[in-house]
């Protein structure tokens, strides 16, 4: 198993450009999510999906779109990049929804991250 | 909203014990987690503890939970240079149905 893979590892964009961060998992996990990691702020949830065709907003969804056409893939699209979106982005997957009351302790697997700089 | 807080930095000497502390605000949290993030990598689950437990030990790792004070700690015995990483505390299974991460503590191990 490759686990959770993300591409690209690094990306530099100019303000206003758009791009898609790719995420794939081969563990047949229903739940997938995107986080951004900023210094002193921990991980913040951007969007998540509980299965193919189902997505929902997390804590900081503005400026990002997602889709989930297959169980394996969960791309994150930046529509018009802004300097405030400079961050490290992590994709994660698990069998159940992390943090759900009574949801158990299934491990959430993280990808290696994409470091994005917006100039 | 609910919050999880950690100190930002801890420096220890190789062979010493490290204690990383965390506080959380959601008293209904049922699972408390510790994740490790090595340089250039994603987060990896280290261990977790249920809210009805006071302590959990796993080899060099000891997790202590004070539910009354909503305080969680991770003790690493005989800290090695390979333990240098960012450690995240997270709380979940509470009223928010969300997993809330702390800001992370950078552990630097001096040889």
């Amino acid at each position: 198993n490759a686990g959770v893979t993300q591409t690209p590892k690094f990306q530099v964009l100019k303000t206003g450009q758009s791009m898609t961060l790719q995420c794939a998992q081969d563990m047949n996990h229903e739940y997938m999510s995107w986080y951004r990691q900023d210094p002193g702020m921990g991980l913040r949830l951007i969007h998540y999906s509980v299965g193919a065709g189902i997505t929902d907003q997390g804590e900081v969804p503005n400026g990002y779109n997602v889709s989930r056409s297959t169980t394996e893939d969960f791309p994150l699209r930046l529509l018009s990049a802004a300097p405030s979106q400079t961050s490290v982005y992590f994709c994660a997957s698990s069998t159940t929804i992390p943090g759900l009351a009574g949801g158990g302790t299934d491990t959430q697997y993280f990808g290696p991250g994409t470091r994005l700089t917006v100039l | 909203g609910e919050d999880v807080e950690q100190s930002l930095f801890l420096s220890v000497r190789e062979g010493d014990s490290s204690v990383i502390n965390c506080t959380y605000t959601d008293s209904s949290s049922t699972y408390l987690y510790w994740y490790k993030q090595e340089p250039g990598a994603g987060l990896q689950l280290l261990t977790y503890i249920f809210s009805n437990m006071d302590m959990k030990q796993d080899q060099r790792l000891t997790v202590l939970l004070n539910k009354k004070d909503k305080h969680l700690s991770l003790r690493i015995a005989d800290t090695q240079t390979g333990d240098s990483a960012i450690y995240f505390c997270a709380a979940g299974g509470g009223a928010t149905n969300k997993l809330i991460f702390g800001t992370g503590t950078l552990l630097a191990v001096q040889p």
Side-chain angles (χ1 to χ4, degrees), chain A residues 37 40 42 90 99 101 104-105 110-111, chain B residues 31 37 42-43 48 88 93 97 99 102-103:
Chain A
Q37 182 183 22
F90 289 100
T105 55
F110 284 81
Chain B
Y31 315 106
Q37 183 184 28
L43 279 68
Y48 64 89
F88 288 91
N97 284 321
L99 186 62
T103 53

Side-chain angles (χ1 to χ4, degrees), chain B residues 18-106:
Chain B
S18 308
V19 180
I20 302 171
N21 294 302
C22 168
T23 58
Y24 59 98
T25 58
D26 185 358
S27 58
S28 65
S29 297
T30 52
Y31 315 106
L32 292 308
Y33 304 85
W34 284 104
Y35 285 83
K36 178 182 181 182
Q37 183 184 28
E38 296 182 348
L43 279 68
Q44 181 180 15
L45 181 65
L46 269 183
T47 187
Y48 64 89
I49 187 169
F50 291 107
S51 60
N52 61 358
M53 298 168 65
D54 297 325
M55 184 183 82
K56 180 178 180 181
Q57 190 154 358
D58 184 1
Q59 298 182 337
R60 292 191 297 121
L61 305 179
T62 302
V63 179
L64 295 178
L65 175 61
N66 182 328
K67 194 176 177 183
K68 173 176 170 288
D69 293 338
K70 296 193 282 288
H71 182 268
L72 183 74
S73 68
L74 174 69
R75 179 177 180 268
I76 305 173
D78 187 25
T79 312
Q80 303 297 308
T81 54
D83 295 322
S84 293
I86 301 176
Y87 290 81
F88 288 91
C89 168
T96 62
N97 284 321
K98 291 179 181 177
L99 186 62
I100 309 295
F101 284 88
T103 53
T105 299
L106 174 61

Side-chain angles (χ1 to χ4, degrees), chain A residues 44-98:
Chain A
R44 292 182 291 169
L45 184 64
I46 305 171
H47 284 285
Y48 65 94
S49 168
V50 298
I54 307 169
T55 64
D56 206 345
Q57 295 181 349
E59 184 184 354
V60 288
N62 292 342
Y64 308 94
N65 271 359
V66 292
S67 59
R68 184 95 180 269
S69 56
T70 66
T71 300
E72 294 78 19
D73 300 299
F74 190 44
L76 177 72
R77 279 181 288 277
L78 279 71
L79 309 171
S80 177
S84 61
Q85 293 178 304
T86 293
S87 186
V88 182
Y89 292 84
F90 289 100
C91 178
S93 75
S94 56
T95 53
T96 57
I97 300 172

Side-chain angles (χ1 to χ4, degrees), chain A residues 19-40:
Chain A
M19 80 158 293
T20 299
L21 279 62
Q22 301 292 343
C23 173
Q25 53 91 9
D26 60 359
M27 296 172 282
N28 203 32
H29 287 164
E30 291 295 328
Y31 183 86
M32 296 185 74
S33 55
W34 277 102
Y35 294 89
R36 58 177 290 173
Q37 182 183 22
D38 301 293

